[in-house]
């Protein structure tokens, strides 16, 4: 596996590049419940777009301000090795030994007080793929680091009246291992998978109904934020 090699200087430089790019690429970013976790966290999300990881960088730069590391497919990290400097580390799901090595590295990061982001689907899937089909690695980490809260984030991309798409981001309430019904690691993963599938479907319905009441605009038009 490929370990992260973070650089605070490169993080600051990348933010200067990323924020104008987000302004150019999206008409709106709407957020609900976007708030900093109370310390290090294990953050998960559905994964349907190349933008997902970059939006996490945006959220951390603007709101969370945590020492974040993100699990990334090895082929992508080899293609874009500079992401290592932003906190990305690899996983190769075709190699069971590499999977275990990546999970142990993520466990080490969490125990060092860092925040880890991963996509339990393991790869990108179409936004409308159901169910989300989580791998069990998320429960492995929750069992190994029971003191670290799990924070779910849902992304929904939508095309409406404007030239560029918009993104709706919903940050859910933090969970701990005791919030998940007892069972095998597989059974608990299925429970979490079903919970997040339902939450994403609720978010989709709110987008279709243009329900803005609980969402804040994360992009200020007319100036770079």
């Amino acid at each position: 596996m490929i370990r992260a090699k973070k650089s605070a200087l490169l993080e600051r430089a990348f933010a200067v590049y990323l924020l104008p790019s987000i302004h150019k690429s999206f008409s709106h970013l709407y957020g609900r419940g976007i708030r900093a976790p109370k310390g290090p966290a294990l953050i998960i999300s559905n994964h349907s777009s190349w933008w997902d990881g970059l939006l996490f960088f945006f959220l951390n730069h603007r709101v969370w301000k945590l020492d974040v590391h993100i699990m990334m497919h090895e082929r992508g990290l080899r293609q874009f090795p500079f992401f290592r400097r932003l906190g990305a580390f690899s996983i190769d799901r075709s190699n069971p030994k590499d999977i275990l090595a990546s999970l142990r590295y993520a466990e080490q990061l969490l125990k060092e007080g860092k925040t880890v982001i991963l996509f339990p689907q393991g790869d990108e899937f179409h936004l409308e793929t159901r169910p989300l089909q989580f791998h069990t690695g998320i429960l492995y980490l929750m069992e190994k680091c029971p003191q670290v809260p799990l924070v779910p984030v849902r992304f929904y991309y939508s095309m409406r009246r404007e030239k560029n798409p918009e993104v709706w981001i919903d940050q859910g309430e933090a969970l701990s291992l005791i919030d998940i019904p007892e069972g095998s690691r597989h059974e608990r993963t299925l429970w979490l998978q079903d919970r997040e599938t339902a939450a994403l479907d609720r978010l989709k319905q709110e987008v279709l109904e243009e329900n803005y009441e609980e969402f804040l605009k994360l992009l200020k038009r007319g100036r770079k934020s």
Side-chain angles (χ1 to χ4, degrees):
M1 65 157 293
I2 305 170
R3 291 175 173 244
K5 194 175 182 180
K6 288 192 76 172
S7 165
L9 178 61
L10 187 58
E11 282 189 277
R12 291 193 294 270
F14 186 70
V16 172
Y17 157 79
L18 179 62
L19 299 184
S21 181
I22 287 178
H23 274 271
K24 182 179 179 180
S25 300
F26 297 104
S27 59
H28 299 284
L29 261 65
Y30 297 106
R32 176 171 61 189
I34 309 299
R35 61 205 177 279
K38 297 177 181 179
L42 179 58
I43 300 175
I44 64 169
S45 175
N46 59 303
H47 193 23
S48 65
S49 170
W50 178 84
W51 276 101
D52 296 339
L54 297 181
L55 289 173
F56 271 127
F57 186 91
F58 169 82
L59 291 173
N60 191 51
H61 177 76
R62 288 286 303 274
V63 181
W64 297 337
K65 303 185 186 303
L66 298 168
D67 186 358
V68 165
H69 290 67
I70 186 167
M71 184 182 287
M72 182 174 176
H73 201 289
E74 184 171 312
R75 64 174 179 267
L77 193 53
R78 290 193 182 280
Q79 185 178 0
F80 301 104
F82 69 90
F83 282 130
R84 289 183 68 197
R85 309 293 283 180
L86 302 178
F89 62 97
S90 77
I91 186 168
D92 180 359
R93 294 199 177 276
S94 68
N95 184 336
K97 289 184 179 179
D98 195 87
I99 293 173
L100 183 58
S102 296
L103 289 173
R104 285 177 172 169
Y105 179 63
E107 177 188 347
Q108 174 190 331
L109 292 171
L110 291 168
K111 289 180 176 178
E112 290 174 355
K114 305 180 190 304
T115 290
V116 172
I117 297 171
L118 59 81
F119 301 105
Q121 291 171 274
D123 213 333
E124 289 181 24
F125 291 88
H126 192 282
L127 182 59
E128 301 303 335
T129 298
R130 298 291 186 275
L132 295 180
Q133 296 186 335
F134 286 179
H135 292 275
T136 58
I138 186 67
L139 262 296
Y140 169 92
L141 292 173
M142 293 186 75
E143 291 167 2
K144 296 293 183 179
C145 306
Q147 77 285 358
V148 176
L150 176 74
V151 177
V153 175
R154 303 107 190 183
F155 293 118
Y156 198 88
Y157 298 83
S158 176
M159 291 294 299
R160 292 193 302 153
R161 304 174 185 86
E162 300 190 43
K163 175 183 176 182
N164 293 332
E166 60 190 22
V167 189
W168 297 61
I169 307 172
D170 180 27
Q171 180 177 330
E173 295 292 335
L175 295 172
S176 64
L177 190 61
I178 61 173
D179 295 317
I180 301 177
E182 292 187 5
S184 67
R185 186 177 294 170
H186 176 70
E187 290 169 337
R188 299 180 107 178
T189 299
L190 286 177
W191 181 90
L192 185 60
Q193 168 188 298
D194 292 345
R195 182 182 187 274
E196 289 307 301
T197 299
L200 184 60
D201 282 337
R202 288 193 298 271
L203 177 59
K204 173 185 176 180
Q205 190 60 39
E206 288 177 298
V207 173
L208 293 175
E209 295 174 358
E210 300 185 4
N211 179 13
Y212 300 100
E213 285 77 6
E214 297 180 356
F215 290 83
L216 299 176
K217 290 185 178 182
L218 301 179
L219 287 181
K220 303 298 184 183
R221 311 313 303 182
R223 66 177 179 89
K224 301 297 184 288
S225 57

